[in-house]
Structures are given as C-alpha cells and as structure tokens.
Amino acid sequence: MKTTNDRARRPERRSLLRGAVMLAVLCASFLPARAASPAAPLKVVATIPDLADFARRIGGDRVEVKALSKGTENLHNVHVRPSMLIALTRADVFLEMGLSMEAAWLPEMLVRSGNDDIQPGAAGFQNCSDGWEAIEVPDDLSRREGHLHPEGNPHFNIDPKGGLQMAAKVHEALVRVDPAGKETYDANFATTKDAIEEAAERWAKIGAKWKGRKVCVYHTEYNYLARRYGMDVAASIEPQPGIPPTPGDIAKVVKTMREQEVGVILTAAWSNNRQVKDIARKTGATVLELPNQVGGADWASDWIALQDGIHERVAKALGTWEEDEGSPKQ
Amino acid sequence: MQSTPRSIPTTPSLLSTRRLRDAAVAALCTAGLFAADASAQRADISSPGGYGSNLGQTTRFDNEFNPAISFVVDVIADWVDVEDVEDGTDIQLRRIDLLIADWIDPNAYAWVTVAYEEEELQLDEAAIEYVGLPGRSTMRFGRFFVDFGKQMQAHVEELRTIERPLVLRDFLGEELFGDGIQYDYWTPAGDTTMVRFSVGAFGDLSGAGHAHGEEGEEIEAEQLVPERKDPGELNFSARATALTEIGSNGTLQVGGSGRFIPEFAFEYDANDIYQDGFSNTVFGLDGTYGWQDDEGVKSFTTGFEFLWNTGDLEGEIDDMGTADPLDDTLEVIDGTRTGYYAFVDYGWTQFDSAGVQYSAREAAHDGDLSRSELDLYYTRHLSEFLRLRVGVTFGTDDDGPDSTRAAVQLTSFVGPHGHGLNW
Ligand SMILES: [Zn+2]
C-alpha cells in the first residue's frame, strides 16, 4: 500500500521565486551602510548622557552626539529601543562606561548593529573605564555575592574625580578615530579639564565637612562620592548590588541605622523607594533621592551641573550647606 | 522591543574575561590563517584539516577556552480540575535547559541547548551564528528555533505565561525547531523605525507537538516530512517585522510570519497506511505595543498574534466500527482554521508584574468547534535569576471537558545569562 515512489513531482516555480527573493536580499545587504562624506560630522554614540556631555564639550562642531540612556532610568537595565540600534549602526565612535555597567542590555545590540567600526577592539570602540581603579571589586565571583558589579563598582560617573577620567577617555577616542581634528579636540579637552578642576575646588570645600558622616544607600551608586570625602556608608539596603532586600535585610538595615545613628538615605528614582520610605519612617532618617546620571533631574543638564546639584543636596541633607558654596552660575 | 533572557552568550560576571578571551581567539585565528596548510590532507601525522601545530593554541586539556555553561530549572506545583475526568495536585520538575555557548572566532558564535523534559533528554538547539557578513546580515546554521511571531523563538520557561499560548501549541507545536539555515537582515527606515526580515530553509518543520493529537479524540495518523526531497520541498520559514517608537516611552511592533511545509505524508503503522502529496502552511500576523516610564520601573505591554493554519490539517483514522486495524481508512482533513492570542501585561515595579492572556483556536477536524484558554498570571522576580509565578488557567472546549488549573512556577537561571533582542 506504500506509495512513496510514484509521487508526482511538483512544479519548481515556487522555489525559483524563493531563490530570487533570497538573492535580492543578499545583494541589498552588500550595499554600503553609510555614505562617508569628509564634511559630515563624526557620529558619536554614548551609553549614558554623562559621556555624551563630554563628547559634545570636546568634539564641538566636529561631532554629532547621541546618548542611549535618558538619564532617568536604572543604568543596569535600560529599555532597548529601535532608535538605539539605528544610532549604533551609523556610529563612528561608541563610548561605554564599562565595568559591566551596560552588560545586561548592550552587548547583543552592539553585535546586531553590524557596525564593524565600533565592535570591541575596533578603533571606534571606547571603554571609558580603562585605567580606572574600581572600588568594591569582588574577591570571588559568585552570584551569592550579587551580580550587577562583577568587575567592581561601575558608577564612577558619580565620583567627583570621575569627570576627568571620562573626559580623557572621550578625548582619546575622538583623536584616534578623527586625527584631523586633533587640534580642536586637544584645545576643547584643555578647556574641559580646567572647568572640571575649577568646579572640583568648590566641591572639595563642601565635601571636606562630610568626613566621618554616616549615610545609608539603596544601591551602591553613591559609594565613590562617599569614599572621596571620607564618609561612612554604614548600610546598603540592597544586600548585594541588584538583589532586592528581603524583610530580614530591611530589619538589619533599620537596626544598623538606629545603632549608628545614620540620618540620611541616598537613593535613586528607580530604586524601590516604597521600602526606602518605610525604613526612613522607622529610623527618622531623611531620604535624599538623587539622579545617578546627567539628565536624571532637570537641574542635572550636564556633568558639572549634576555634581554641583548632588553636592548641594547632600550638604543640605547633612546640614553642612552654606549659601555661598554653590556654583557661581546658579 | 522587549528583551528575552536568551540569545547571544553575554554574561555580566564573565564579561571582562570574555573580552580578553575574544582578543585571544582573534589573535589565534589570524595566525592560523597564514600558517595553515593549503590542503586539508597533510603529509605528516597531524589531524586532517587541522591548523599548524605551533600556533600557540592551547592543548585539548586546557580549560582556557571553555565555553559558558548555564542552566535553567523550571519547577511547577499545580492543581488541575478537568471536568468529570480528573482533579488533583502535583509537583513536577517540568524542565531543565542546559545551555552551552561561546564565540568560535570574532565572526561566529555557537550554542547548544539540551532540554530535559518528561524524563527525556532532547537536543533543542545546536547552532552557529555567523555575524561576519557585511552590513546588518547574519546567517545561522544548525538546529534552532523557528523565527515565527514573537514567542516561538523562546523556550517555554522564558515566556510571560506558564504555558505557550494554546493557538501556538496547536498550530505550530509546543516548541518548533528544525535543522536548517536562516538568513537575517535588518535596516533602519528613518531614525526611529527599523525593518527586519528572515528567511529559513529546514529539513523538517512539522514540529514535535504536531504528530500527536489531543487526548480523547480520534486516533490520528502521524505526519512525516520525507527525508530526501526536491529543493522546493524543503520546509521554509519567513518573517518580516517593523518596529517604531511612539513618543519617548512607547514602542510599536507589527510583524508577519509564515511556516511552510510543501510536502508531507500521513503514516499509520497499524494498517501500513502511507499517503503523501500533502502540504500545510501557517501564517501569522502580530502586533505588540510596549510602554515604559522614564525610570524604567512601570511598564505596560499589550499584544496579539492572529494565525491561519491552512492546507492539509490532520489525518484521522476511521476504524470502520471494527477492532480490526486492517480495515481502517485514512481521512485527511484540509481547509483553513484560525486562532489567536492577545494579552495585556502591567509591571508596577521592576520585580512585579501581572497580566491576562486569552487564546482561542478552531479545531482541525471541525472548524465550527473551538477551544480557548484564559490565563491570569502574576510574576515576581525574587532577583534577576530567580522568578516566581502564580497563574490560573480556565480552559473551555466545545469538543471536550472544560478545565481549570492553578499553578505556582519557580524558575531559576543559573550561571552566565544574557538578555537578547526579541524582535
Ligand atoms: Zn550599580
């Protein structure tokens, strides 16, 4: 009853059509992705607005800059959108913070961009944490110790000294990809460096009064800032970076804060602030919600403004603020 | 664009090591290019096709180039009530997925997924993705999940519901993978819109879940795709999709997919029945809208997928009212059946979300009879790698008993784990 061998052959027209479609697709994909014009500005894509700010300052008219993150969201968990992939596919220079900050959302986008100029190892790829000495590097890599900061704390954009690191790395990348613009980049980098150093003097004066003061953080994004001025981060509400606290963890934090008389909790908008408020109510501490990137608040329009704003708000929360300490611009 | 937990082997915890490793692999391959013998057959006693012996490659007993290994454990405790048939509770290790992945060279990576389900091991995926083509094209070879709609690319434990939507299970299979080759391409259309399509050719896309019919129905003949076939009789998949941004917080995606089986046979062993010359196509149309607030805390997603199952649908065996299998005859049902699923999902923190999903489809053997499932579910991420889900499913069936199921699902993702693009 088997009829396997006498099966009638079907017309091949459909498979020919499929072949033609595949061929057309292949041809289309070999077209150049971007028409290069020497007059066109260098397309720079930065993962966070802080890096984009330095790219604009140093690149000037020679660059066109886009930041992937808005500045308001959790840096470890940025919502991926079509415009990001499109920006990456057209980019000449790509700037990332590194230290696994963007590890959860970036790597596949980078591969899918199909842009060879910005893959790791290519001239257009810049890891802006290269050469930065990270704090809180885990001795032992285990999920038990948390997982969001496997290479140490990546939030060095909140360090008052982080600006110079970012600016230097952005400058390095621009000169490497566009040597013809070196003169411009060198000059703009020098101006940027001066601006950062001038601002750092006023921040140092504000921060000098914080030595030994105790704070509690939700995530560890403010630890560089605290360490820079000798503050004591007495408690982290997240038991490990990225791990939401259990009721037991919260009880421990409350106990520590009461025992050590911690009066301020630093937190970000995207953190679990219902729990933060609950802890504040139990301990009488003040909650200070801070941005952790440029663009995270309306006053944080660029990196220097972000630092000015953070210094002013932390000083006010700790009761050390004096009216003449702020930026002369404000 | 949502993210699903599987795809390119990126791992936060091993990223720096991986980068160093990538560089090392790149260096080795470049050296190999210039040092390799022109002919695969060599005069000396080294393995045929091998590279030279002094390229700095590590030995076979070195761990330096071990791939990333991870696994998923999916446990379900449930209570089921199938009207007038059975009820009761159970706890079950539903599934373990073992994933091994690594870059092969700067332009290609490979992954293998072995699934353990119902006391059986199955090779779900074993594929190589080549990303070295110019532009935004990639090629995939090996065994992999078919690119159909928004869900068929993912393993069941990665979905928003405990089970795959009814219409996908019945029209395409619990899982649909095939041995084949797939070409992928995407292109921007402006600054905020992108278009992507893929075409795949496979040996067999008849699907693991397709061969056996639903419980309590007539006996079905098994569907067989011939092993050797004309090129035009290969099984094909195709998907085209466009994604665009709506405002600064919304993303809209629309897509169309097809799964084509141009030639298959029905076989019924008991009576040695074998008839060929059948074909089947499933088309799908999908739409998804996603919204997320500026902080990335609150999110809202809604979507649908409408499917047409057309061609030869099912081979039923008529026993002619006798117990003797030798007089049984095969009746093949052809026509078009439709089905769909739609869902709404809201996340109010980064860790909590809840939703409702409805799926319905017409029965293959009678288009006037339909079956549906209504799912209510709540998902809590205890951390990024440990997920708790509670779900209730209400099933109705014109052709069988109604059912209710309440389930608790605990899923853990152990080891390196990356988020890919789901487009
Ligand atoms: Zn962090």
Side-chain angles (χ1 to χ4, degrees):
Chain A
M1 206 160 171
K2 288 201 184 230
T3 54
T4 24
N5 296 326
D6 58 357
R7 155 173 60 125
R9 299 206 160 220
R10 295 185 171 203
E12 297 297 278
R13 243 184 331 177
R14 270 189 306 172
S15 63
L16 277 176
L17 188 68
R18 285 190 194 110
V21 168
M22 293 255 299
L23 198 67
V25 165
L26 275 167
C27 291
S29 64
F30 279 83
L31 293 171
R34 172 174 59 87
S37 143
L42 207 63
K43 290 194 166 68
V44 180
V45 173
T47 55
I48 68 169
D50 307 48
L51 294 173
D53 174 36
F54 289 114
R56 282 188 199 101
R57 279 174 189 264
I58 297 164
D61 295 340
R62 296 186 70 90
V63 299
E64 189 185 298
V65 184
K66 180 182 165 71
L68 298 183
S69 113
K70 289 177 188 168
T72 45
E73 66 267 71
N74 181 348
L75 273 176
H76 297 298
N77 188 23
V78 171
H79 185 49
V80 171
R81 294 158 61 77
S83 57
M84 297 181 182
L85 200 54
I86 293 166
L88 286 173
T89 201
R90 294 170 176 163
D92 302 303
V93 179
F94 169 71
L95 308 166
E96 67 157 17
M97 288 294 279
L99 291 173
S100 295
M101 171 100 94
E102 301 97 340
W105 53 278
L106 182 78
E108 178 164 9
M109 265 211 299
L110 210 53
V111 174
R112 295 289 165 207
S113 75
N115 184 346
D116 292 338
D117 299 343
I118 57 161
Q119 299 302 317
F125 176 89
Q126 183 74 313
N127 176 349
C128 294
S129 61
D130 274 348
W132 176 259
E133 211 174 298
I135 59 170
E136 297 155 13
V137 180
D139 296 329
D140 181 21
L141 265 191
S142 157
R143 286 271 155 74
R144 202 172 170 185
E145 309 300 319
H147 54 267
L148 281 182
H149 299 164
E151 297 179 74
N153 191 322
H155 300 280
F156 64 91
N157 60 317
I158 300 300
D159 191 327
K161 297 229 158 114
L164 208 50
Q165 163 79 15
M166 291 187 280
K169 288 291 141 185
V170 169
H171 172 245
E172 191 182 287
L174 293 179
V175 171
R176 188 172 61 228
V177 175
D178 178 28
K182 187 174 185 302
E183 220 169 285
T184 311
Y185 301 141
D186 287 352
N188 289 345
F189 176 60
T191 320
T192 304
K193 196 172 172 228
D194 288 346
I196 293 173
E197 280 167 354
E198 190 196 315
E201 277 177 32
R202 65 176 176 266
W203 300 333
K205 268 185 219 149
I206 300 168
K209 288 172 244 169
W210 301 347
K211 197 169 181 349
R213 295 295 297 267
K214 289 178 195 292
V215 288
C216 169
V217 297
Y218 182 86
H219 189 66
T220 54
E221 66 265 79
Y222 308 106
N223 286 17
Y224 278 109
L225 178 83
R227 199 186 67 129
R228 202 51 80 189
Y229 299 124
M231 295 163 87
D232 179 6
V233 179
S236 298
I237 299 173
E238 278 185 337
Q240 301 292 348
I243 305 290
T246 63
D249 293 324
I250 289 177
K252 239 184 275 173
V253 168
V254 169
K255 186 165 176 274
T256 307
M257 286 180 69
R258 279 182 184 149
E259 279 170 6
Q260 302 197 26
E261 294 175 7
V262 180
V264 175
I265 304 173
L266 304 180
T267 181
W270 51 266
S271 295
N272 202 337
N273 289 334
R274 196 169 42 85
Q275 282 168 331
V276 173
K277 276 181 201 131
D278 190 40
I279 293 169
R281 200 172 37 77
K282 284 180 181 151
T283 59
T286 312
V287 178
L288 183 56
E289 200 176 288
L290 292 171
N292 58 19
Q293 300 164 68
V294 168
D298 50 9
W299 46 266
S301 53
D302 61 44
W303 186 77
I304 290 179
L306 170 76
Q307 286 291 344
D308 274 326
I310 288 176
H311 280 79
E312 180 182 333
R313 279 157 183 82
V314 173
K316 282 177 176 166
L318 292 171
T320 66
W321 180 249
E322 284 163 43
E323 273 318 314
D324 58 347
E325 282 185 317
S327 159
K329 282 185 217 152
Q330 286 177 346
Chain B
M1 208 178 321
Q2 305 164 342
S3 59
T4 54
R6 186 183 314 268
S7 184
I8 289 198
T10 53
T11 144
S13 62
L14 291 172
L15 199 73
S16 54
T17 336
R18 183 166 295 279
R19 284 200 172 139
L20 291 172
R21 211 194 266 181
D22 286 350
V25 173
L28 281 170
C29 291
T30 317
L33 197 65
F34 296 110
D37 252 11
S39 109
Q41 205 67 42
R42 296 163 59 112
D44 61 28
I45 55 168
S46 59
S47 322
Y51 276 179
S53 56
N54 54 355
L55 301 174
Q57 178 65 280
T58 53
T59 74
R60 72 173 77 178
F61 300 116
D62 199 307
N63 286 326
E64 197 66 28
F65 291 98
N66 276 356
I69 302 171
S70 61
F71 62 95
V72 182
V73 180
D74 188 34
V75 182
I76 293 182
D78 65 355
W79 170 83
V80 173
D81 179 19
V82 183
E83 226 168 69
D84 306 323
V85 181
E86 59 168 355
D87 63 59
T89 57
D90 192 18
I91 299 178
Q92 191 195 3
L93 170 66
R94 175 167 67 165
R95 216 180 138 96
I96 295 177
D97 274 335
L98 177 69
L99 171 75
I100 301 171
D102 206 350
W103 287 89
I104 301 166
D105 66 26
N107 291 318
Y109 63 91
W111 73 101
V112 171
T113 311
V114 178
Y116 170 87
E117 195 172 13
E118 290 172 6
E119 309 299 326
E120 273 180 27
L121 275 177
Q122 172 175 269
L123 182 68
D124 270 15
E125 296 171 281
I128 291 166
E129 177 119 354
Y130 186 74
V131 298
L133 294 174
R136 293 168 297 272
S137 303
T138 54
M139 295 289 296
R140 201 173 261 215
F141 315 85
R143 174 176 297 186
F144 48 89
F145 279 38
V146 73
D147 188 19
F148 190 106
K150 288 284 283 176
Q151 293 206 11
M152 293 311 291
Q153 305 86 343
H155 294 251
V156 64
E157 73 275 5
E158 295 166 345
L159 303 175
R160 74 169 58 74
T161 45
I162 292 172
E163 303 294 340
R164 206 177 288 279
L166 172 74
V167 61
L168 296 180
R169 294 198 316 264
D170 284 359
F171 285 5
L172 295 167
E174 290 279 356
E175 284 187 333
L176 184 52
F177 52 78
D179 299 351
I181 176 168
Q182 182 178 302
Y183 172 82
D184 249 278
Y185 176 72
W186 77 270
T187 186
D191 292 338
T192 55
T193 303
M194 53 184 278
V195 177
R196 169 190 167 258
F197 59 85
S198 74
V199 189
F202 299 84
D204 183 353
L205 281 183
S206 60
H210 221 75
H212 48 80
E214 296 134 33
E215 288 162 41
E217 287 183 7
E218 295 106 300
I219 315 160
E220 274 180 42
E222 199 181 346
Q223 293 186 15
L224 284 180
V225 169
E227 273 181 32
R228 291 279 151 206
K229 43 201 159 272
D230 298 331
E233 292 173 352
L234 283 169
N235 293 189
F236 290 91
S237 75
R239 174 159 171 80
T241 176
L243 286 113
T244 192
E245 292 177 16
I246 295 189
S248 58
N249 298 67
T251 308
L252 178 70
Q253 177 173 18
V254 289
S257 315
R259 190 278 277 128
F260 311 92
I261 303 177
E263 166 65 38
F264 71 94
F266 281 111
E267 187 181 58
Y268 179 56
D269 278 342
N271 193 11
D272 220 13
I273 293 175
Y274 186 96
Q275 278 181 33
D276 61 10
F278 301 107
S279 66
N280 176 274
T281 301
V282 176
F283 293 107
L285 202 64
D286 58 275
T288 312
Y289 173 77
W291 175 92
Q292 197 169 39
D293 70 358
D294 283 338
E295 286 74 37
V297 174
K298 291 187 174 69
S299 63
F300 171 80
T301 316
T302 182
F304 75 92
E305 205 169 324
F306 198 92
L307 285 91
W308 291 262
N309 184 8
T310 181
D312 299 302
L313 305 172
E314 201 171 80
E316 273 180 19
I317 300 297
D318 187 347
D319 64 6
M320 308 302 278
T322 69
D324 180 7
L326 289 178
D327 64 3
D328 292 359
T329 56
L330 171 72
E331 189 195 341
V332 174
I333 295 149
D334 63 4
T336 299
R337 302 287 182 265
T338 59
Y340 68 96
Y341 70 85
F343 67 91
V344 179
D345 196 287
Y346 180 68
W348 58 94
T349 77
Q350 289 173 78
F351 310 107
D352 302 277
S353 65
V356 54
Q357 177 173 282
Y358 183 76
S359 181
R361 61 105 182 102
E362 295 166 350
H365 64 277
D366 183 348
D368 291 332
L369 299 177
S370 72
R371 199 175 146 192
S372 73
E373 275 179 11
L374 174 70
D375 283 294
L376 306 171
Y377 52 92
Y378 162 72
T379 305
R380 163 86 187 170
H381 280 267
L382 301 168
S383 72
E384 194 180 339
F385 304 96
L386 188 59
R387 192 191 65 203
L388 178 73
R389 179 170 293 149
V390 182
V392 189
T393 306
F394 303 98
T396 62
D397 192 348
D398 292 343
D399 202 25
D402 291 350
S403 63
T404 307
R405 180 196 194 196
V408 178
Q409 177 191 26
L410 190 64
T411 310
S412 58
F413 301 84
V414 187
H417 174 77
H419 290 260
L421 301 179
N422 176 222
W423 56 5

